[in-house]
Amino acid sequence: MSDTAAPVTGRIEVDSHKFLPVFIGVERAGRLREYLTPSGGAQWLESSSTRLDHPEAQSCVLHVFACGVAVFHLVQPHEPAALTDLAVWRYRSYASDLPWARDKIRELLEGDHAGAPNPEYVLSLYWLTSGPWAGDAYDTALRLLSTPSILVDRGAPGGPAPLRVGA
């Protein structure tokens, strides 16, 4: 896995990075980019960005690309009791993150809701800042962080719940 392990501590600490893309179209992106800060430097894809307030994120940046795609990048520090708790939180948080992104992009487009864009996907990535594992247990924890869906019953009544093994 990695030669550089997170510090071994008694608790799990991660920075959750969520990316919520939505296609808003080239014309809408152009209008929206007029009010945003252009990205600096030589890039292969023109973009602009702005910081936004999000009720549960430490940081939220909206990137709008000239090709017509807007991407919300949310950073949320989290200290779950176990990796399963992190996986359940991940799926449950989508229930508020996706509608928030939909409402925010519609607000930013100022009433241009014809064929209103609707984010439908969240890409979650985690930066492990500390954990209780060492050696092989650390490798296993990183693998579980990479595929947290195996820890969650997403079809459970009442929403995502810890997967019950052997029940």
Side-chain angles (χ1 to χ4, degrees):
M1 287 289 206
S2 171
D3 292 339
T4 306
V8 176
T9 67
R11 62 185 191 273
I12 303 168
E13 294 179 20
V14 298
D15 287 337
S16 168
H17 291 259
K18 295 179 192 166
F19 299 89
L20 295 84
V22 58
F23 182 73
I24 62 175
V26 173
E27 184 179 317
R28 285 177 171 159
R31 287 196 316 263
L32 192 52
R33 289 183 62 228
E34 290 176 14
Y35 303 99
L36 307 180
T37 304
S39 297
Q43 296 184 356
W44 64 273
L45 185 59
E46 286 183 57
S47 68
S48 300
S49 63
T50 190
R51 292 197 173 278
L52 299 171
D53 289 327
H54 182 279
E56 298 169 10
Q58 176 185 61
S59 169
C60 176
V61 177
L62 174 64
H63 301 276
V64 180
F65 297 89
C67 65
V69 174
V71 179
F72 293 92
H73 177 196
L74 309 177
V75 179
Q76 297 168 294
H78 200 63
E79 293 186 33
L83 290 178
T84 300
D85 296 332
L86 177 64
V88 170
W89 169 81
R90 169 191 177 202
Y91 287 109
R92 289 185 177 171
S93 70
Y94 293 177
S96 59
D97 290 335
L98 286 166
W100 175 87
R102 179 200 62 220
D103 294 345
K104 183 56 75 175
I105 201 72
R106 289 178 180 180
E107 173 188 317
L108 292 168
L109 292 173
E110 298 178 346
D112 182 6
H113 299 165
N118 192 21
E120 298 179 15
Y121 180 76
V122 180
L123 170 66
S124 287
L125 303 170
Y126 301 106
W127 186 266
L128 180 65
T129 57
S130 70
W133 315 284
D136 289 344
Y138 177 74
D139 288 347
T140 300
L142 290 182
R143 291 172 196 270
L144 289 171
L145 273 173
S146 300
T147 56
S149 61
I150 64 172
L151 302 171
V152 177
D153 178 358
R154 292 185 280 175
L163 186 63
R164 300 191 189 280
V165 179

